[in-house]
Amino acid sequence: FSTAIVITEQPVSVSVPVGYSFTLRCRAEGRTSLQYQWFCQHQSVCRQIPGATKQDLPVTAQQTQLYTCRINDLYKNAIFSDWVKVEVHQCVARGLPPRLWQGEPVIVVNPTEQTVEVGKPLQLRCAAMGVPAPTYQWYRNGNLLEHQKKKNLWITHAKVSDSGTYLCCASNSHGEHWTNAVDIHIGETLPPAEHLQLCHLVFHLATGKIALLVGNNCYQHHPNLMAPIRDVFELSLLLEQLGFQVVSLLD
């Protein structure tokens, strides 16, 4: 009797603005007449929805939660539908969705440009409304990123090769919508003091002669040098005598 009830139409997840009204649908077939009962779950608390005993469940979106429907026949057979997510967006851009919105994807969170140090985490955020809920696909430099199919892109340890222009496509059966394209730079960053020193010289003394000296003593695949600190110091004095503004960095 495990196949005594067959669900012919599963409810579908949606992503909607707060206050939006819609209907969750479930359809099933059985050997006897069928009874329906809807349940919802919010923050791990599951409860039966009083009076929700029809195939269609009208919902006015107030908070993000999960829904499922139980179907019984007269022989005490029971089956549950898929759990579906009703994602509710509290903050929606002004004017969205339009009154004639048919459920096509509408981007409500765009990724932002970032500069990230090598080895540090990179997270790009995206969110879209849609009925049914959109699926997501991220791209870098126009190339599809095979494993980045969630609304938030997460790279635990960023590499220089992760630099590029990123965007995300949100799509459902009504169409697709693309986020803004954002530039992401992954690289070594200067300590704040040296960075400010460089900015000051570049922007305020741009008409003068500037020399950048870097004394590296610690190499990954090479023995340490004899005296790079002394070399930088002596070269700095010489360049200053020639009228250069000198920025000296070590390692």
Side-chain angles (χ1 to χ4, degrees):
F1 284 91
S2 60
T3 58
I5 304 171
V6 176
I7 295 179
T8 57
E9 182 180 349
Q10 294 277 8
V12 297
S13 296
V14 300
S15 181
V16 295
V18 64
Y20 186 78
S21 296
F22 60 96
T23 300
L24 290 177
R25 292 168 50 90
C26 184
R27 297 289 186 274
E29 295 177 351
R31 299 173 186 176
T32 71
S33 59
L34 299 176
Q35 299 171 331
Y36 293 78
Q37 177 62 59
W38 288 88
F39 296 79
C40 67
Q41 178 177 320
H42 177 64
Q43 295 178 345
S44 301
V45 178
C46 182
R47 64 179 180 87
Q48 181 174 304
I49 303 173
T53 56
K54 293 185 170 59
Q55 295 175 321
D56 293 345
L57 176 68
V59 178
T60 298
Q62 297 298 332
Q63 61 186 2
T64 296
Q65 54 188 7
L66 304 174
Y67 291 84
T68 188
C69 185
R70 185 189 66 208
I71 304 104
N72 294 79
D73 67 10
L74 300 181
Y75 294 125
K76 296 185 179 179
N77 296 303
I79 190 172
F80 280 85
S81 74
D82 295 340
W83 282 97
V84 294
K85 184 177 184 178
V86 174
E87 184 178 39
V88 180
H89 297 275
Q90 300 293 332
C91 301
V92 179
R94 187 173 57 198
L96 292 177
R99 289 183 181 177
L100 300 179
W101 187 49
Q102 297 298 306
E104 65 275 12
V106 176
I107 301 293
V108 292
V109 176
N110 274 287
T112 57
E113 294 190 5
Q114 294 182 48
T115 298
V116 178
E117 284 188 60
V118 171
K120 295 297 176 70
L122 167 65
Q123 183 179 29
L124 295 175
R125 297 181 64 240
C126 165
M129 299 186 299
V131 180
T135 58
Y136 297 88
Q137 178 61 63
W138 285 89
Y139 295 79
R140 182 182 67 237
N141 299 332
N143 299 314
L144 183 146
L145 296 172
E146 187 66 35
H147 303 295
Q148 299 291 357
K149 297 179 181 294
K150 297 181 179 180
K151 61 183 179 180
N152 290 340
L153 177 148
W154 177 259
I155 297 174
T156 309
H157 303 290
K159 306 183 297 293
V160 172
S161 59
D162 292 320
S163 295
T165 301
Y166 286 76
L167 48 69
C168 186
C169 178
S171 60
N172 66 11
S173 54
H174 296 292
E176 62 184 30
H177 198 169
W178 296 76
T179 67
N180 297 337
V182 295
D183 292 327
I184 303 300
H185 177 71
I186 314 295
E188 304 290 352
T189 58
L190 291 170
E194 285 88 342
H195 182 75
L196 287 173
Q197 189 180 11
L198 271 177
C199 288
H200 173 79
L201 286 170
V202 170
F203 290 110
H204 297 288
L205 302 172
T207 56
K209 296 184 292 184
I210 302 173
L212 172 62
L213 300 180
V214 180
N216 283 334
N217 191 43
C218 299
Y219 288 87
Q220 188 173 355
H221 303 294
H222 192 281
N224 289 353
L225 301 180
M226 294 295 292
I229 296 175
R230 188 185 67 201
D231 294 343
V232 166
F233 177 73
E234 292 182 354
L235 194 52
S236 296
L237 292 178
L238 179 60
L239 288 168
E240 286 172 356
Q241 290 171 7
L242 295 174
F244 282 83
Q245 298 284 339
V246 180
V247 177
S248 298
L249 300 177
L250 299 174
D251 289 324

